[in-house]
Amino acid sequence: MLSPESIKKIDHELTKYPTDQKQSAVMSALAIAQDEKGWLANETMDFIAHYLGMPPIAVYEVATFYNMYNLQPLGKHKLTVCTNLPCALSGANDAVTHIKQKLGIGFNQTTADGKFTLKEGECMGACGDAPVLLVNNKRMCSFMSNDSIDQLLEELNK
């Protein structure tokens, strides 16, 4: 189900917890699986549940609670824009409007070429850098003006 490299990474995460609490590595295991597969199919989550010795429903609960997990195939680049109040007051709504116009998509949509998916996010803990967005849950971009959005999209489109 997962490559030997991913299993090795999950095994490394397991060393961080007592042997009788393997389920504590569920978030890391889901992230590792998603990095390999691009998204988390039920079969992948079932595999993780079995590997960690926990009920599949417990894995589903974690995967559906956090917005960093993709439960369906998305574009190559997932752009998650924080629209909470501090970001909204600092231009997030304008940034979202610009991104929507540039990409021709709305929230929870993917461009026809499969390159970009736009998501709305909750607080990312960088209110002083607003507006902020995350690229593929890994790279935070701050102070996102229209110009910086254009530069980011051009960079990612290569």
Side-chain angles (χ1 to χ4, degrees):
M1 174 56 65
L2 293 177
S3 69
E5 294 80 20
S6 290
I7 296 296
K8 185 176 178 179
K9 289 177 185 177
I10 292 171
D11 288 343
H12 175 73
E13 293 299 314
L14 288 171
T15 66
K16 298 175 182 179
Y17 304 101
T19 54
D20 64 336
Q21 296 178 23
K22 291 170 37 172
Q23 72 278 5
S24 297
V26 67
M27 291 183 70
S28 298
L30 288 169
I32 291 164
Q34 181 170 280
D35 284 346
E36 177 180 326
K37 302 285 190 179
W39 67 290
L40 297 171
N42 287 347
E43 297 80 22
T44 305
M45 291 187 283
D46 290 346
F47 175 83
I48 290 170
H50 176 74
Y51 197 77
L52 298 180
M54 56 193 297
I57 189 66
V59 175
Y60 298 161
E61 288 170 344
V62 172
T64 58
F65 181 79
Y66 294 100
N67 67 2
M68 64 195 148
Y69 299 117
N70 306 325
L71 302 179
Q72 61 188 18
L74 300 179
K76 179 179 179 182
H77 303 290
K78 179 172 88 169
L79 305 176
T80 307
V81 182
C82 178
T83 57
N84 272 2
L85 185 59
C87 279
L89 291 173
S90 296
N93 295 335
D94 294 333
V96 167
T97 298
H98 186 71
I99 294 168
K100 286 179 176 181
Q101 289 173 344
K102 291 291 282 191
L103 297 179
I105 58 173
F107 283 127
N108 301 313
Q109 294 180 336
T110 300
T111 56
D113 62 6
K115 287 188 179 180
F116 297 97
T117 297
L118 182 60
K119 292 285 198 176
E120 186 172 19
E122 291 300 320
C123 183
M124 297 175 188
C127 303
D129 294 350
V132 296
L133 67 82
L134 282 175
V135 179
N136 295 331
N137 301 321
K138 307 259 188 232
R139 175 182 169 193
M140 182 170 290
C141 301
S142 302
F143 307 108
M144 296 307 293
S145 65
N146 289 351
D147 288 340
S148 59
I149 289 167
D150 291 346
Q151 290 172 1
L152 176 66
L153 294 177
E154 183 178 321
E155 172 195 328
L156 296 174
N157 208 20
K158 292 179 182 177

